[in-house]
Amino acid sequence: MKTYQVVGIGNAIVDVIAQCDDSFLDHMGIEKGIMQLIERERAETLYAAMGERTQAPGGSVGNTIAGLGNLGLRAAFIGRVRDDALGRFYEAALHGEGTDFPNPPVKGDLPTSRSMIFVTPDGERSMNTYLGISAEVSTGDVPLEVVENCWILFLEGYLFDKDYGKAAFLKATQGCHRGGGRAGIALSDPFCVDRHRDSFRRLVKDEMDYVIGNRHEWESLYQTDLDSALKQAASECGLVVCTRSGESVIVLRGEERVEVPVNRTVPVDATGAGDQFAAGFLYGYATGQDLETAGRMGCIAAAEVISHFGARPESDIKALFRAQGLI
């Protein structure tokens, strides 16, 4: 038996969440509804300006892996945190949720990464992320005994911003494939795709067994309309998943095409919707469900997380699956 059913690699970020109104965003020069990378000084300014705030372990793939741990899978998350208060908080929080964190906090000049997330009354989240030490993930942070002993590997596209992040991905993917596992990636962000289009396209075609992205990311990757982009992706990659923000989810595997309807709801906080969709979908994928069932699981997990503040599930997602007759 494999040690892990799913292993993720990504930015280990502490989410710091506060509610605000649009005028606060304007006053602080925060662009609404997107993720912006910021420098250390700006991070300290925004942190000081936050009102009542909550703190939670985050990072896109980190959230997904925590969701899978919540669903009872054997899961691990590979990331990099500093041996400081936030880094120790991150490690303890993952272990408390039943997810392994193989890399202990390290010494270093850069602090543990944090994302200041401002949530407006319409549920939109404006993320201001200081990457800090998490962006320094390299091959030395990828334990072969972990990646060679997992069935599914899930990579975070954001880490492609540095060459040693790319090298870490290659080492992990090769290790996963050596062990007979399947590797996939989250495209992460249209701007991330813009920065690394050629590398991402090679990765999708040559290394990945599955890819998860939203419509804007797929259109950016192939620089064409969505249908053409997905058709090309499906010809190059075994499994292609596209979310469309309130519209049906499209899943393609070879000639098989499934559209999974989404129940439109007004989000309390959209933070983590894509991350928890990935958790639900990968749960179905890891447990051998058909594509429609896996897609429905993803939609249920996403709907749960947008019904409350924060990017991690608060309900028993598996119970929600049972209630829908999925397990």
Side-chain angles (χ1 to χ4, degrees), residues 176-235:
C176 174
H177 285 153
R178 267 198 310 275
R182 293 164 286 180
I185 191 169
L187 294 178
S188 294
D189 181 288
F191 302 111
C192 184
V193 173
D194 286 342
R195 291 194 297 273
H196 307 295
R197 184 173 291 109
D198 290 343
S199 294
F200 272 13
R201 285 176 68 163
R202 282 195 299 272
L203 199 68
V204 170
K205 184 177 181 180
D206 298 332
E207 301 287 347
M208 296 294 99
D209 301 294
Y210 68 93
V211 182
I212 299 175
N214 65 35
R215 69 176 307 153
H216 305 297
E217 292 156 4
W218 284 115
E219 289 170 345
S220 173
L221 185 63
Y222 292 102
Q223 296 181 288
T224 185
D225 64 274
L226 182 62
D227 284 343
S228 299
L230 294 180
K231 184 176 180 180
Q232 184 166 346
S235 73

Side-chain angles (χ1 to χ4, degrees), residues 146-188:
V146 173
V147 295
E148 289 178 352
N149 282 288
C150 72
W151 284 119
I152 294 173
L153 179 70
F154 191 40
L155 307 172
E156 182 176 308
Y158 286 126
L159 283 182
F160 245 62
D161 278 329
K162 296 195 175 179
D163 285 342
Y164 35 79
K166 296 178 186 178
F169 277 6
L170 191 59
K171 177 182 177 180
T173 300
Q174 291 173 345
C176 174
H177 285 153
R178 267 198 310 275
R182 293 164 286 180
I185 191 169
L187 294 178
S188 294

Side-chain angles (χ1 to χ4, degrees), residues 14-313:
V14 177
D15 288 340
V16 186
I17 305 168
Q19 298 178 53
C20 72
D21 56 24
D22 287 351
S23 64
F24 176 87
L25 299 182
D26 291 340
H27 176 69
M28 297 302 296
I30 297 169
E31 190 169 349
K32 183 175 179 177
I34 68 165
M35 194 283 285
Q36 289 184 307
L37 294 177
I38 58 175
E39 298 300 322
R40 191 170 182 169
E41 184 177 346
R42 172 74 166 161
E44 290 171 356
T45 299
L46 291 181
Y47 185 83
M50 298 180 96
E52 188 174 332
R53 54 192 176 228
T54 59
Q55 187 172 287
S60 177
V61 167
N63 288 333
T64 298
I65 297 302
L68 287 160
N70 173 274
L71 282 161
L73 294 193
R74 301 185 307 279
F77 178 64
I78 295 170
R80 190 172 178 85
V81 297
R82 185 181 175 185
D83 189 10
D84 55 18
L86 285 180
R88 292 187 290 273
F89 163 79
Y90 195 96
E91 179 186 39
L94 255 66
H95 286 154
E97 294 173 334
T99 300
D100 281 359
F101 190 58
N103 297 31
V106 298
K107 305 294 183 183
D109 295 330
L110 293 173
T112 294
S113 309
R114 72 285 313 268
S115 182
M116 276 66 68
I117 302 173
F118 298 91
V119 184
T120 42
D122 58 3
E124 279 284 359
R125 82 278 196 210
S126 306
M127 304 171 69
N128 298 263
T129 303
Y130 169 60
L131 288 178
I133 200 170
S134 74
E136 304 295 306
V137 168
S138 68
T139 55
D141 298 304
V142 179
L144 287 179
E145 66 273 16
V146 173
V147 295
E148 289 178 352
N149 282 288
C150 72
W151 284 119
I152 294 173
L153 179 70
F154 191 40
L155 307 172
E156 182 176 308
Y158 286 126
L159 283 182
F160 245 62
D161 278 329
K162 296 195 175 179
D163 285 342
Y164 35 79
K166 296 178 186 178
F169 277 6
L170 191 59
K171 177 182 177 180
T173 300
Q174 291 173 345
C176 174
H177 285 153
R178 267 198 310 275
R182 293 164 286 180
I185 191 169
L187 294 178
S188 294
D189 181 288
F191 302 111
C192 184
V193 173
D194 286 342
R195 291 194 297 273
H196 307 295
R197 184 173 291 109
D198 290 343
S199 294
F200 272 13
R201 285 176 68 163
R202 282 195 299 272
L203 199 68
V204 170
K205 184 177 181 180
D206 298 332
E207 301 287 347
M208 296 294 99
D209 301 294
Y210 68 93
V211 182
I212 299 175
N214 65 35
R215 69 176 307 153
H216 305 297
E217 292 156 4
W218 284 115
E219 289 170 345
S220 173
L221 185 63
Y222 292 102
Q223 296 181 288
T224 185
D225 64 274
L226 182 62
D227 284 343
S228 299
L230 294 180
K231 184 176 180 180
Q232 184 166 346
S235 73
E236 297 179 347
C237 182
L239 178 61
V240 170
V241 184
C242 176
T243 59
R244 298 190 293 167
S245 187
E247 296 182 55
S248 60
V249 174
I250 300 172
V251 187
L252 303 172
R253 181 168 58 193
E255 296 299 314
E256 185 180 4
R257 177 186 173 107
V258 172
E259 291 202 26
V260 182
V262 172
N263 293 324
R264 285 179 172 270
T265 57
V266 177
V268 172
D269 172 15
T271 308
D275 305 338
Q276 293 310 318
F277 171 85
F281 183 86
L282 290 176
Y283 177 84
Y285 187 46
T287 56
Q289 307 296 326
D290 60 59
L291 296 186
E292 182 177 358
T293 300
R296 289 178 63 192
M297 288 174 164
C299 292
I300 289 169
E304 191 280 337
V305 82
I306 66 173
S307 71
H308 57 77
F309 287 99
R312 302 284 175 96

